[in-house]
Amino acid sequence: MNSLGPESRAIIDEALPGEGLEAPRRAHLKRELMARIAAGAVAGGAALATTKAAAATQVAKGGLVSLFLTSMAQGGAVMAVVIGAGVGYRAVTEPAAAPAPSVALSVAITPTASAIVRPAAPRAVEEPVSVIASSAPAAPVAPTASMEAAAPASSSISGEMELLRQAQRALASGDGSRALELLGEHEASYAGGALREERQAARILALCKAGRGAEARAEAARFVAEFPRSPHRGHVLGACANE
Amino acid sequence: MGAPATLTERPAVREAPPRFEDVYDKHADMVWRSLRRLGLDEASADDALQEVFMVVHRRLDEFEGRSSLQTWLFGILLFVARNQKRSRRRKPTDTGAEAADALAQVRADERAMPDAEADRARAVKILYALLDELSDEQREVFVMAELEQMKGTEIAAATGVNLNTVYARLNAARHQFEQGVARMRARQARSAP
């Protein structure tokens, strides 16, 4: 078999260091991915999703997204949550570290918005999330290559997703106070967790449900300042409209 | 090292599947750059990366460690990349022109960049332009063999074609790549002042 000539080899070797995913982009994609997985987990046993549309449809059929939206008493945008999670980053091609909230946006929210708008905090996705349910693997684990090294944080992700789902169920059943309780627990356990954005969005909806509209609006303003491209933005801003 | 004698025999203690987050952290870079090399633009690669890991999340329990994790991931990412590309039509390429155009373009861009960064950007664009001249089948095999250093058997496992076909495609791909390099050089020489 022939092999590649030296000039071709050199072209390849030169390109390798310039490829790859910048860290902020990787972190952003991971956060979106976790949100999609959290949404999809409820649908359970979904078949292989090969397209975004298929994935979104599956989730919408059985999943948290429909619960989420039912709770807001305004259907229609079922796809937006899931699809939005996939395209949110596309609008900005360069990895924006701390996107500035747009003026138009802050004006559109409420009169209080301009006072509250603040620079977006750096996202804490890469931080190890704290472990509460230290569910050690039951089966004996053979030491597998390099997988063991980064182990400590990962068991918390399913716990994080589960707690958020419980809160969303409470929200769907109209129990805003219970949802707030669970979300408080979530915040205490997973302050810098992967689903912070989803938690905040759920909290705003729960505040509306619990009749705390003023707080909800204030938090909504902070939310859009911190997550200007969030797929939940529309829902958050309209959260109290029907309460 | 006592490797299992047969593949059908299960080890007495089954290894726990790797943890999802670890898989992401360790392999996201490889998956993303491979998607780019297979011809997806950045936004499509972002989407496809998430699709790949959605599948990984659902199927990680099925991963039995018979192949390497990289091979298994490649099987998934090839599938996702083909689907992503299915709707796009490969535009006919003026052989060598794309690579040379890329070169001209980055030369314009690089005035705005620090030298080292510009060099890297140029090198990547040239590589992708050359890869664009391969057929999809050649390109997959070439990316796995020449860019990820995967073995023939691993490529066969990931693509689902037999080993002879893998080598045939790889040979064709190498030849095509070399031709592309030669054409690019020829054009550069012609356009030099």
Side-chain angles (χ1 to χ4, degrees), chain A residues 170-184:
Chain A
L171 192 55
S173 69
D175 192 346
S177 311
R178 176 65 186 147
L180 284 172
E181 221 173 276
L182 290 162
L183 291 166

Side-chain angles (χ1 to χ4, degrees), chain A residues 66-76 171-172 205 209 238-239 241-243:
Chain A
S66 43
L67 293 179
F68 215 78
L69 289 171
T70 311
S71 72
M72 293 187 290
Q74 35 176 224
L171 192 55
L205 303 182
K209 270 274 185 268
N242 298 314
E243 301 297 335

Side-chain angles (χ1 to χ4, degrees), chain A:
Chain A
M1 184 164 56
N2 68 19
S3 63
L4 209 53
E7 193 177 10
S8 297
R9 193 74 250 168
I11 285 172
I12 290 171
D13 290 343
E14 239 180 285
L16 298 184
E19 290 189 284
L21 195 53
E22 310 98 332
R25 190 178 190 126
R26 184 177 57 221
H28 177 93
L29 290 171
K30 181 176 179 179
R31 206 184 49 73
E32 282 187 351
L33 176 67
M34 290 305 181
R36 286 174 74 179
I37 288 171
V42 178
L48 193 73
T50 56
T51 66
K52 183 180 304 174
T57 309
Q58 280 168 359
V59 171
K61 268 181 202 156
L64 154 149
V65 175
S66 43
L67 293 179
F68 215 78
L69 289 171
T70 311
S71 72
M72 293 187 290
Q74 35 176 224
V78 173
M79 295 301 173
V81 174
V82 173
I83 292 178
V87 298
Y89 193 72
R90 191 185 292 168
V92 179
T93 49
E94 76 278 15
S102 79
V103 174
L105 189 59
S106 57
V107 168
I109 309 159
T110 68
T112 59
S114 54
I116 294 165
V117 168
R118 58 175 188 190
R123 291 180 180 173
V125 176
E126 296 261 283
E127 284 174 21
V129 280
S130 60
V131 180
I132 46 162
S134 61
S135 54
V141 180
T144 51
S146 75
M147 284 302 172
E148 292 302 297
S154 53
S155 63
S156 61
I157 278 291
S158 53
E160 188 180 352
M161 291 195 299
E162 179 50 35
L163 193 51
L164 186 61
R165 275 202 296 272
Q166 284 175 22
Q168 278 157 344
R169 257 178 250 131
L171 192 55
S173 69
D175 192 346
S177 311
R178 176 65 186 147
L180 284 172
E181 221 173 276
L182 290 162
L183 291 166
E185 209 179 297
H186 193 281
E187 182 159 18
S189 305
Y190 308 104
L195 301 174
R196 199 163 64 88
E197 181 178 333
E198 283 63 38
R199 177 179 68 227
Q200 295 297 93
R203 182 174 151 77
I204 291 161
L205 303 182
L207 284 170
C208 294
K209 270 274 185 268
R212 293 158 64 178
E215 284 172 75
R217 276 185 287 275
E219 292 216 9
R222 282 198 290 273
F223 181 90
V224 295
E226 183 173 4
F227 307 108
R229 291 187 304 277
S230 172
H232 308 300
R233 200 186 76 188
H235 304 130
V236 160
L237 292 178
C240 288
N242 298 314
E243 301 297 335

Side-chain angles (χ1 to χ4, degrees), chain B residues 112-157:
Chain B
M113 292 188 203
D115 284 352
E117 200 182 323
D119 282 349
R120 283 197 297 273
R122 174 172 53 199
V124 172
K125 278 206 178 183
I126 290 170
L127 173 62
Y128 290 172
L130 290 165
L131 290 174
D132 271 341
E133 296 184 17
L134 306 182
S135 74
D136 286 345
E137 288 176 345
Q138 290 174 356
R139 184 173 192 155
E140 290 174 0
V141 173
F142 189 88
V143 165
M144 284 185 272
E146 296 293 354
L147 298 167
E148 289 297 331
Q149 314 298 333
M150 289 166 68
K151 297 192 203 100
T153 49
E154 293 174 327
I155 297 169

